[in-house]
Amino acid sequence: MKDYDKIVLARTETADALNRIFRKGNLSFGGLKNPTFQMKRLEVGGTLNMEELLSIAHLLEITKRAKTYARDVRENEAADSLDEMFGELEPLTPLFEEIHRCIPGPDEVSDAASPALHNIRRQIRNINDRIHGAMNSLLNSQTTRTYLQDAVITMQNDRYCLPVKAEYKAQVPGMIHDQSASGSTLFIEPMSVVKLNNDLKEAFLKEKEEIEKILADLSNQTAEYAPAILQNYHVLTTLDFIFAKAKLAKIHNGMPPVFNTEGRIHIRKGRHPLLDPHTVVPIDIRLGEEYHLLIVTGPNTGGKTVSLKTIGLLTLMGQVGLHIPSGDRSELAIFKQVYADIGDEQSIEQSLSTFSAHMTNIVSILKKANRGSLVLFDELCAGTDPDEGAALAIAILEQLRRRGIRTMSTTHYSELKLYALSTEQVENACCEFDVETLSPTYHLLIGIPGKSNAFAISQKLGLAPRLIEDARSRISKENESFEDVIADLEQSRRTIQKEQAEINAYKEEAESLKKQLEEKQAKLDQSRDRIIREANEEAAAILKEAKAAADETIRNFRKFGKNGIDAAAMEKERDKIRRKMEKAQSKAAIPKKPQENRNIPKKLRLGDSVKVLSMNLKGTVHTLPDAKGNLYVQMGIMRYQVNIKDLILIEEDTILGTKAAKTGSGQIKMSKSLGFSGNQPHWKNSGRGNAPSGQILRRRLPGASAVGSDCARKGHRRVAKSRSGTSSPSKIHQRISPG
């Protein structure tokens, strides 16, 4: 095809069919026959036979299968280019079922095809039964059996007969239908079954007439749907072709090419479709953009001709809507003609040598080619004098270049390599050859001319070194220098290619590391946001819980202030609040880092200033450690039991902002005390200079006298009176006032 829109549509249809195959599997069109001739017969009033009607039914069966396939595949999917064709199919289910009801097999009409046929065949069976009864009676008769050559029933001219010995023909009355080759046996139809045979013959004739009526009726029904049947056939053949292209694309792992009308070709990793896909070496080919003419050089068996055929075949494949065996995003130009001169066309009959045969093709191509053509030359102007052949080849290629015709040619001529180097819109290319292994790599390298490597190949194959040196001395210095330059270019290219591969590997590694870092950073950001959110939620919950506990404590103290202080209830409330605080601290506390080289206090005295590491609070030693190292530490108005391992000694101790002084062995800490008025309880001195655990007022209760507060501010101490009315300092324990 040459029309851009039609080519693109064909490519799209192939892609859509391939998509359906991948999702649903292949659609079979096997057994599809052209019904055009049968429809013509029906048009003039003819009748189809059973085989022809069954072929029509098979076409309708394929139509129904295709319709079902399209419905299953397109369910919940967007429309594609094949939906319209599938929509044009008409299964004609009533006609299909009627044909199969009447004709279950290629040579059989069903009894149920018509009531008349059913009755006729029932009569035939009855007559057959009567005939067999009469014949068996004769066979079983002792008298008749002696007249028979064999005790069997035979058919002669569609009539039942008995094999009677010739000498007893008078003993068995009936009609003689035939005799054996020797004449010793006569096949006689007994008179008792003649009428029955006549009735059977008549019934068979009626059956034949009824079958013809049935076929005529089916043909008339088929004729009514002739346009739809022909339409189904044309749509099915088109779909068959499209799905065949899709199956080929699946086999070759083909890709849909991108088309242009500017003569641009860029095949990425193209593969010749006839080579083994597991071993073929993909090639990249560019033509028609920076240059219009590509000259491919290199050694024999290096892959030059395969490269030439690949570009031609892939171009033709693309212009019939096929996917091409190449990489994704390969680009093809739409050409009006593709001309190729490939292979040895010598002919004894036409007195054509190799050169003459090629030149005949070249002359024809030069006459017909234009800007819309692709021209492919294999070994242009080979088979003649090298100097003259090279000059002719350059002249031909130059004319094609001036006319803007996309051309690709292979050659061994060094002059063409120089022509490509020195001429605009002409580029060299070569097929890589590994001299060390004496084998081609089949890689096509654009931009570098190739060496023929004749000397290296000959040496590897065992040619004497002196002959090779003699040959070297016979080539011109210019040619030798040019070949050396090509060899240096090839070595430089390999080095650059190797370094480029390493750079690409480093780039890929860097990209991978960058991607990993970005993913890690994204995860860290997500974790950070989650942790902050959870921490805020937990902090809000802790604050809410603390507020609730504080509110409850205030309410309780107000209640105690009004009703009189109950020491047991106060202690119970204090323990309850302490447990809540410890629970909250355990949730909010940051796990402490292990302290290395920390001096654990070995000997403590009552009143020593210490720091509790787990709480990050300062306090004073209230009791000495027990056997397990546990002791009580006074921190402000609170007293906690801690382990000696959780303590460090500090030089100066400041408790709630007031410096404490050590006084005697009891080391009682004194500060401003809060005075109370009214009937308040008193506490006895425990003898250790401190009040018992739990009997500590944490704050001034409601009802405390203003005088007491004033005295506290002036630095005076007030002494609470006992219930007896006496004020004894020995029975009063002064505590640090929270005020």
Side-chain angles (χ1 to χ4, degrees):
M1 294 183 288
K2 302 173 185 178
D3 183 83
Y4 177 86
D5 294 332
K6 291 181 179 179
I7 293 172
V8 171
L9 176 60
R11 177 199 63 186
T12 305
E13 290 171 346
T14 304
D16 291 339
L18 182 62
N19 188 27
R20 289 173 181 259
I21 289 174
F22 280 132
R23 289 202 317 274
K24 181 68 177 179
N26 190 36
L27 176 60
S28 173
F29 298 89
L32 188 64
K33 294 183 180 179
N34 190 346
T36 304
F37 179 70
Q38 286 82 3
M39 297 302 106
K40 290 289 185 183
R41 286 212 351 248
L42 292 175
E43 188 178 344
V44 297
T47 301
L48 303 181
N49 58 34
M50 288 183 283
E51 184 179 355
E52 291 171 330
L53 286 168
L54 284 177
S55 70
I56 299 296
H58 186 63
L59 186 150
L60 297 178
E61 184 180 5
I62 297 173
T63 304
K64 181 179 179 181
R65 187 164 61 235
K67 199 78 172 179
T68 304
Y69 176 89
R71 183 168 56 251
D72 293 343
V73 169
R74 298 315 302 170
E75 188 175 358
N76 300 324
E77 294 287 341
D80 64 11
S81 61
L82 303 180
D83 281 342
E84 184 177 352
M85 276 185 281
F86 278 111
E88 294 174 356
L89 295 174
E90 296 184 33
L92 305 177
T93 304
L95 177 61
F96 167 77
E97 292 178 349
E98 181 65 14
I99 293 175
H100 268 291
R101 184 185 70 84
C102 297
I103 309 174
D107 298 315
E108 178 187 1
V109 176
S110 173
D111 293 353
S114 71
L117 182 62
H118 179 75
N119 292 331
I120 291 171
R121 287 185 172 172
R122 185 177 60 187
Q123 292 175 10
I124 290 173
R125 287 191 293 271
N126 291 335
I127 295 172
N128 268 319
D129 291 341
R130 292 169 61 190
I131 291 173
H132 279 86
M135 297 293 281
N136 286 329
S137 178
L138 292 173
L139 287 176
N140 294 330
S141 171
Q142 190 66 32
T143 305
T144 305
R145 185 176 294 181
T146 58
Y147 305 145
L148 301 179
Q149 195 72 257
D150 294 302
V152 295
I153 300 173
T154 63
M155 290 289 293
Q156 297 293 328
N157 300 324
D158 295 330
R159 300 179 78 87
Y160 289 98
C161 300
L162 292 175
V164 180
K165 296 176 183 179
E167 60 269 23
Y168 296 115
K169 65 178 180 178
Q171 306 301 323
V172 181
M175 297 178 63
I176 300 174
H177 286 278
D178 202 356
Q179 68 177 3
S180 64
S182 63
S184 61
T185 303
L186 299 176
F187 297 98
I188 299 175
E189 179 185 1
M191 290 302 296
S192 59
V193 297
V194 169
K195 184 179 184 307
L196 291 174
N197 274 330
N198 290 337
D199 293 342
L200 183 63
K201 188 73 172 177
E202 185 180 354
F204 279 135
L205 292 174
K206 290 180 180 179
E207 181 190 34
K208 184 178 179 182
E209 291 176 2
E210 186 61 27
I211 289 175
E212 289 176 354
K213 289 180 182 179
I214 293 170
L215 295 179
D217 182 59
L218 290 174
S219 298
N220 291 333
Q221 294 182 46
T222 304
E224 296 177 7
Y225 300 105
I229 292 172
L230 289 173
Q231 173 72 10
N232 287 341
Y233 173 74
H234 293 309
V235 172
L236 289 174
T237 52
T238 303
L239 287 172
D240 188 14
F241 177 51
I242 293 172
F243 274 83
K245 293 191 292 183
K247 284 190 287 183
L248 185 68
K250 183 180 178 183
I251 293 171
H252 288 300
N253 194 23
M255 292 292 176
V258 179
F259 293 103
N260 67 81
T261 56
E262 290 81 31
R264 247 182 359 263
I265 297 176
H266 187 182
I267 298 174
R268 306 170 189 268
K269 299 187 181 303
R271 307 179 303 275
H272 194 289
L274 299 183
L275 295 179
D276 184 355
H278 301 291
T279 58
V280 63
V281 178
I283 58 173
D284 292 341
I285 303 176
R286 299 192 307 276
L287 181 64
E289 193 167 2
E290 301 93 348
Y291 48 87
H292 297 166
L293 200 156
L294 186 64
I295 297 175
V296 185
T297 53
N300 292 324
T301 72
K304 300 189 302 298
T305 304
V306 172
S307 301
L308 197 71
K309 290 182 176 181
T310 299
I311 191 172
L313 269 175
L314 267 55
T315 296
L316 296 176
M317 289 175 68
Q319 291 191 217
V320 295
L322 288 171
H323 288 186
I324 61 174
S326 69
D328 194 18
R329 296 178 295 108
S330 292
E331 192 171 5
L332 293 177
I334 297 177
F335 294 105
K336 302 297 182 182
Q337 306 91 18
V338 177
Y339 296 108
D341 177 54
I342 300 174
D344 191 351
E345 299 294 336
Q346 60 177 287
S347 171
I348 298 176
E349 181 182 357
Q350 299 180 15
S351 300
L352 293 175
S353 65
T354 299
F355 177 77
S356 301
H358 281 291
M359 190 53 61
T360 302
N361 289 337
I362 292 169
V363 170
S364 175
I365 290 171
L366 291 176
K367 289 179 180 179
K368 299 176 182 177
N370 54 41
R371 292 183 66 89
S373 303
L374 173 65
V375 178
L376 306 173
F377 290 130
D378 186 27
E379 299 294 347
L380 180 61
C381 294
T384 187
D385 179 77
D387 293 335
E388 294 180 357
L392 274 173
I394 292 174
I396 293 168
L397 293 176
E398 179 63 17
Q399 183 184 3
L400 293 171
R401 184 188 71 84
R402 289 177 179 175
R403 291 164 62 183
I405 298 173
R406 274 50 174 178
T407 305
M408 183 174 177
S409 175
T410 66
T411 185
H412 282 285
Y413 293 142
S414 297
E415 290 83 354
L416 266 66
K417 303 174 189 177
L418 292 171
Y419 167 72
L421 288 172
S422 59
T423 308
E424 292 184 358
Q425 296 184 339
V426 184
E427 187 61 87
N428 271 306
C430 70
C431 288
E432 191 179 43
F433 192 88
D434 192 340
V435 180
E436 297 298 325
T437 61
L438 198 65
S439 60
T441 65
Y442 302 109
H443 288 114
L444 183 67
L445 309 174
I446 295 178
I448 300 175
K451 283 188 65 177
S452 296
N453 290 311
F455 293 156
I457 294 173
S458 300
Q459 185 174 2
K460 285 285 184 180
L461 293 175
L463 189 64
R466 59 184 181 81
L467 295 178
I468 294 174
E469 290 301 323
D470 186 28
R472 287 186 188 276
S473 65
R474 295 179 184 276
I475 63 174
S476 64
K477 294 295 183 183
E478 292 79 6
N479 286 339
E480 186 176 6
S481 299
F482 180 68
E483 293 295 327
D484 291 341
V485 169
I486 292 177
D488 293 340
L489 285 174
E490 177 68 12
Q491 184 62 35
S492 299
R493 182 199 63 78
R494 290 185 179 182
T495 302
I496 293 172
Q497 191 176 29
K498 183 179 179 181
E499 293 176 351
Q500 187 65 41
E502 293 177 354
I503 292 172
N504 292 336
Y506 290 142
K507 283 184 178 180
E508 291 178 0
E509 185 178 359
E511 288 294 330
S512 177
L513 291 173
K514 180 182 176 183
K515 186 177 180 180
Q516 292 177 10
L517 287 174
E518 290 175 350
E519 292 176 353
K520 185 176 180 180
Q521 185 61 43
K523 290 181 180 178
L524 288 174
D525 292 342
Q526 293 177 359
S527 299
R528 180 196 61 193
D529 295 341
R530 178 178 56 80
I531 291 170
I532 292 174
R533 183 174 65 255
E534 291 177 354
N536 289 333
E537 292 174 356
E538 189 171 355
I542 292 172
L543 288 174
K544 184 177 180 181
E545 185 178 355
K547 181 179 181 300
D551 292 342
E552 183 181 0
T553 303
I554 292 172
R555 287 194 298 270
N556 290 336
F557 276 117
R558 285 176 178 171
K559 179 179 68 173
F560 294 145
K562 291 178 181 180
N563 302 331
I565 298 175
D566 185 351
M570 290 280 290
E571 178 64 18
K572 185 176 180 181
E573 287 297 321
R574 188 184 73 82
D575 290 340
K576 182 178 178 181
I577 294 171
R578 177 177 59 80
R579 286 194 297 271
K580 287 186 178 181
M581 290 181 65
E582 290 176 349
K583 182 178 179 182
Q585 287 175 350
S586 66
K587 290 182 180 179
I590 300 174
K592 62 179 184 294
K593 296 181 181 179
Q595 299 290 335
E596 296 183 0
N597 300 324
R598 180 172 61 83
N599 292 326
I600 299 173
K602 296 181 180 179
K603 186 176 181 181
L604 290 174
R605 296 178 299 173
L606 295 176
D608 282 347
S609 297
V610 292
K611 183 177 182 180
V612 182
L613 296 176
S614 60
M615 300 181 185
N616 196 26
L617 294 175
K618 296 177 182 179
T620 59
V621 176
H622 188 65
T623 63
L624 295 177
D626 58 15
K628 295 182 179 180
N630 296 325
L631 69 154
Y632 283 94
V633 175
Q634 191 75 35
M635 290 176 286
I637 63 173
M638 305 297 293
R639 187 179 69 157
Y640 283 95
Q641 184 182 29
V642 297
N643 193 279
I644 193 171
K645 295 180 180 179
D646 196 23
L647 301 176
I648 58 172
L649 283 168
I650 56 178
E651 294 296 328
E652 240 179 68
D653 187 28
T654 303
I655 302 176
L656 297 177
T658 305
K659 291 185 178 181
K662 298 181 181 179
T663 58
S665 60
Q667 299 176 347
I668 302 174
K669 308 298 177 184
M670 305 296 294
S671 69
K672 295 179 182 179
S673 174
L674 178 64
F676 298 94
S677 64
N679 284 331
Q680 303 294 346
H682 67 278
W683 296 273
K684 293 183 179 181
N685 197 330
S686 63
R688 297 193 302 270
N690 291 305
S693 173
Q695 298 178 356
I696 302 171
L697 283 178
R698 294 174 178 79
R699 58 184 291 174
R700 182 164 62 86
L701 298 176
S705 67
V707 176
S709 299
D710 292 337
C711 291
R713 285 194 295 272
K714 293 176 182 178
H716 298 294
R717 289 196 291 271
R718 284 184 59 86
V719 180
K721 294 184 178 181
S722 67
R723 293 184 183 272
S724 61
T726 60
S727 300
S728 175
S730 63
K731 297 182 179 179
I732 299 173
H733 173 63
Q734 286 92 2
R735 302 296 294 162
I736 300 170
S737 171

